[in-house]
Amino acid sequence: MPKKNVGELSKDASEFKKFSLTEATKQFGIFVTKNVAIGAILYGVNLGLSKLTKGGGSDAEKEANKKKAAVVKAITTLIQTETDDSKKLLDWMDAHKDETVTLDGIEVPLESIFHKYLGPISDAVDQAFNAAKPLQKKVESKYTWDVPTADDIAKLLDASTAFLTAFDNFRKFADEHSSDFPTLKSLPLTQADIDDLTSQLDAVKKMPFY
């Protein structure tokens, strides 16, 4: 992941916190902000691992650290893709926050129809954030990073899977109900976005870590 993306991640986090929308959008913004924080922490972890591959240690240790660095870098890139897609979705929610739809004779905010999809993201991102946060430590005004365990990596991938599932469900709902709710035709998440995330996630899952 290019170094400039760390600044982009921090900027994204600030933007998400500025959203003043309804409950569903605020919840989604919180999930994404945590995911952005995870990505920033993993960038630091990757820098540390990269130094280990060039420093002392046996050839076997260097090779093991290269594998770990490759996985961490791939997950960080995946999180950046999730962030970009999430920004598009939040911008869309913001643009349509005042629109309503009628479900079973009841008028409700358009974005509230997505509320049921947010639960899996909440649980997975909380677990991933709790796994990533201890990896970053501040000692005498300097930050250090620990190498994630296999269990940490599993939790991080669970969070990415939850985002992918939510995005896929958003897309499917929009496709199935666009005739009833024409605004859904403008949902910015495309099948190409879903396919890209799926490809990245599948590639990471196949990479050796330990």
Side-chain angles (χ1 to χ4, degrees):
M1 183 180 184
K3 189 172 183 178
K4 66 178 183 179
N5 280 352
V6 176
E8 292 173 1
L9 285 169
S10 298
K11 182 180 178 181
D12 290 335
S14 297
E15 289 183 8
F16 286 131
K17 290 177 181 177
K18 293 178 182 177
F19 275 89
S20 179
L21 309 176
T22 58
E23 182 181 357
T25 305
K26 287 181 179 178
Q27 287 185 355
F28 187 62
I30 290 171
F31 305 153
V32 177
T33 299
K34 286 186 177 181
N35 215 36
V36 168
I38 293 169
I41 291 171
L42 291 182
Y43 180 84
V45 171
N46 193 58
L47 282 181
L49 284 169
S50 297
K51 291 179 181 179
L52 290 176
T53 64
K54 300 173 184 177
S58 66
D59 290 341
E61 289 173 333
K62 290 181 180 179
E63 186 61 29
N65 286 327
K66 284 183 180 179
K67 291 180 180 178
K68 295 174 184 177
V71 172
V72 172
K73 182 177 181 180
I75 294 177
T76 308
T77 301
L78 175 61
I79 288 175
Q80 181 62 57
T81 302
E82 294 167 1
T83 301
D84 292 341
D85 290 341
S86 297
K87 283 188 67 177
K88 291 192 297 184
L89 184 57
L90 279 172
D91 285 343
W92 181 86
M93 287 181 169
D94 187 24
H96 298 283
K97 65 179 180 292
D98 296 325
E99 296 183 28
T100 60
V101 294
T102 301
L103 299 175
D104 296 326
I106 301 174
E107 190 175 61
V108 297
L110 174 64
E111 58 148 6
S112 68
I113 61 180
F114 298 129
H115 189 84
K116 68 178 182 179
Y117 300 125
L118 300 182
I121 296 181
S122 177
D123 296 339
V125 172
D126 281 346
Q127 288 188 35
F129 184 73
N130 290 337
K133 191 174 180 180
L135 299 178
Q136 178 176 278
K137 295 180 174 64
K138 189 174 183 179
V139 180
E140 295 181 355
S141 74
K142 292 184 178 181
Y143 285 103
T144 61
W145 292 273
D146 293 334
V147 178
T149 65
D151 185 56
D152 293 334
I153 293 296
K155 290 176 180 176
L156 294 170
L157 292 180
D158 284 345
S160 290
T161 299
F163 267 92
L164 175 58
T165 299
F167 290 160
D168 193 31
N169 285 336
F170 287 168
R171 181 70 260 163
K172 288 177 180 176
F173 184 93
D175 288 343
E176 293 172 4
H177 297 85
S178 59
S179 60
D180 298 321
F181 313 124
T183 301
L184 293 176
K185 294 179 180 179
S186 66
L187 187 73
L189 288 176
T190 66
Q191 189 58 50
D193 293 328
I194 303 300
D195 292 343
D196 183 34
L197 273 177
T198 301
S199 178
Q200 288 190 42
L201 182 58
D202 288 345
V204 176
K205 288 180 177 180
K206 294 176 182 177
M207 297 173 72
F209 187 71
Y210 283 103

